[in-house]
Amino acid sequence: MVTSFFDQFSSPLFMGIPLMALALLLPWILLPTPSSRWLNNRLLTLQNWFLGMFTRQLLLPINHPGHKWALILASLMIFLLSLNLLGLLPYTFTPTTQLSINLGFAVPLWLATVLIGLRNQPNLSLAHLLPEGTPLLLIPILIIIETISLMIRPLALGVRLTANLTAGHLLIQLISTGLFVLLSLQPAVAILTGALLLMLSLLEVAVAIIQAYVFVLLLSLYLQENV
Amino acid sequence: MLSPPVAIVEKRLMDVKLGELGTWLGGRDFTPNGIIASVRRGHDRYYNKYINVKKGGIGGVAMLLAGYVALSYLWEYDHLKHDRWRKYH
């Protein structure tokens, strides 16, 4: 069979169950549920601290009706963060490299923000389509452009996350294959490649965290406009 | 061996004798509720032993992650074996 570098993104079946099921289940196993004790164990304390800090930071610019979204945005962030970071472990599967999963997150949430805006304050939502101070002649074109940019948002959210993670994983696999082959031929060059791989892995950790954050941040921005 | 007699089915797995294994397996609860209950019990045992302790270190989570990596390797073995057996990469 012909193997390619893209085979790492397929979800192989084992006894009929795809690996994606295990990968999607893992954040639930790793993150403990909050307890009603006063002093918790270290993992739970760390998790609570991080969640509290993140939610407070995220909800600062959003006005009061938008605070209903606190739970879903915080849990989305934790889920994406853990999925991205767990995908960097060897032999694991990253569900967020699949466009289906990312669009499945992006489209319903974006659509919810748009519909909330259109239902509760239709005038204000439609007014967002025209920036202030545009010259009279440009108005028709600008409205079309702004509508297109509005419609493209869920696609951009999903594809951004997919592309970033896929590219990172592919680069890691390419460079590590090169390192393996070079190790027997030219060890000196292999050391350089090894250093490159190390830096790339650090970058991937950063990208994993940042991309999750950007996803949730943009969603909160869309919410801010509409709520 | 002065402990009061306990029904075979209710003993823990490590206490079941080899000859009694069939009876033990036959009497366990394999309904979905039973499986969920046993998964919860296993999770609670692991959590309370390694994570829910006063000075839990990285070991509790690290063991879980190592198990996850091993399980992923097992899951993907059919796919990975081609990479090792290739002559040209």
Side-chain angles (χ1 to χ4, degrees):
Chain A
M1 74 174 241
V2 181
T3 53
S4 72
F5 277 112
F6 284 96
D7 286 339
Q8 59 176 312
F9 300 123
S10 66
S11 175
L13 297 171
F14 182 72
M15 304 206 289
I17 309 175
L19 184 56
M20 184 164 337
L22 178 67
L24 282 174
L25 208 56
L26 204 72
W28 262 282
I29 302 175
L30 280 179
L31 300 170
T33 46
S35 78
S36 51
R37 291 176 142 185
W38 184 55
L39 268 179
N40 293 314
N41 57 58
R42 285 177 174 180
L43 183 62
L44 195 54
T45 313
L46 204 68
Q47 180 185 301
N48 286 341
W49 165 80
F50 176 73
L51 266 174
M53 180 194 75
F54 177 75
T55 314
R56 204 172 316 127
Q57 177 79 2
L58 190 69
L59 289 178
L60 268 180
I62 303 182
N63 57 4
H64 193 67
H67 289 190
K68 287 182 237 173
W69 282 63
L71 184 62
I72 194 168
L73 287 177
S75 55
L76 185 67
M77 167 68 178
I78 291 281
F79 196 47
L80 286 179
L81 189 64
S82 51
L83 283 180
N84 291 348
L85 284 175
L86 284 172
L88 289 171
L89 292 170
Y91 298 120
T92 50
F93 180 74
T94 324
T96 38
T97 50
Q98 309 297 317
L99 189 63
S100 49
I101 301 252
N102 294 334
L103 281 179
F105 278 134
V107 173
L109 293 171
W110 162 82
L111 195 61
T113 61
V114 168
L115 289 177
I116 287 178
L118 281 177
R119 185 181 185 276
N120 295 338
Q121 33 187 25
N123 280 338
L124 192 61
S125 297
L126 287 173
H128 279 305
L129 288 177
L130 191 64
E132 279 185 37
T134 54
L136 200 64
L137 291 172
L138 278 178
I139 290 180
I141 310 171
L142 210 58
I143 292 192
I144 297 176
I145 293 178
E146 288 285 333
T147 313
I148 297 176
S149 98
L150 181 72
M151 293 297 138
I152 247 188
R153 277 176 182 176
L155 212 66
L157 274 176
V159 172
R160 180 186 304 113
L161 191 55
T162 311
N164 268 296
L165 274 127
T166 313
H169 281 254
L170 267 176
L171 271 175
I172 288 182
Q173 188 157 22
L174 277 168
I175 295 187
S176 51
T177 310
L179 179 62
F180 244 4
V181 172
L182 275 177
L183 212 51
S184 47
L185 295 172
Q186 291 174 312
V189 182
I191 293 177
L192 282 173
T193 317
L196 184 64
L197 186 62
L198 188 67
M199 285 192 287
L200 187 66
S201 307
L202 290 175
L203 177 70
E204 282 315 306
V205 173
V207 165
I209 301 175
I210 291 171
Q211 285 304 317
Y213 176 61
V214 160
F215 194 95
V216 177
L217 190 68
L218 281 174
L219 261 179
S220 78
L221 209 73
Y222 303 154
L223 183 67
Q224 224 180 306
E225 277 184 1
N226 280 319
V227 91
Chain B
M1 303 288 115
L2 292 173
S3 51
V6 185
I8 297 178
V9 188
E10 287 165 15
K11 283 199 223 174
R12 303 178 111 195
L13 183 57
M14 288 296 132
D15 297 330
V16 169
K17 303 207 186 345
L18 212 56
E20 299 169 347
L21 195 60
T23 324
W24 186 84
L25 272 179
R28 297 302 284 180
D29 188 12
F30 284 116
T31 65
N33 266 342
I35 293 191
I36 291 178
S38 64
V39 168
R40 173 134 290 273
R41 260 180 289 135
H43 172 268
D44 284 344
R45 268 179 66 190
Y46 186 87
Y47 185 66
N48 287 325
K49 183 164 183 194
Y50 291 112
I51 302 186
N52 203 9
V53 288
K54 203 150 105 178
K55 290 179 84 174
I58 204 173
V61 181
M63 278 195 283
L64 266 177
L65 291 178
Y68 174 54
V69 170
L71 197 60
S72 295
Y73 182 77
L74 184 71
W75 216 283
E76 289 187 340
Y77 182 69
D78 270 333
H79 182 86
L80 284 171
K81 62 192 178 194
H82 297 286
D83 277 329
R84 199 179 311 147
W85 299 345
R86 281 169 81 101
K87 191 160 187 237
Y88 300 112
H89 279 260

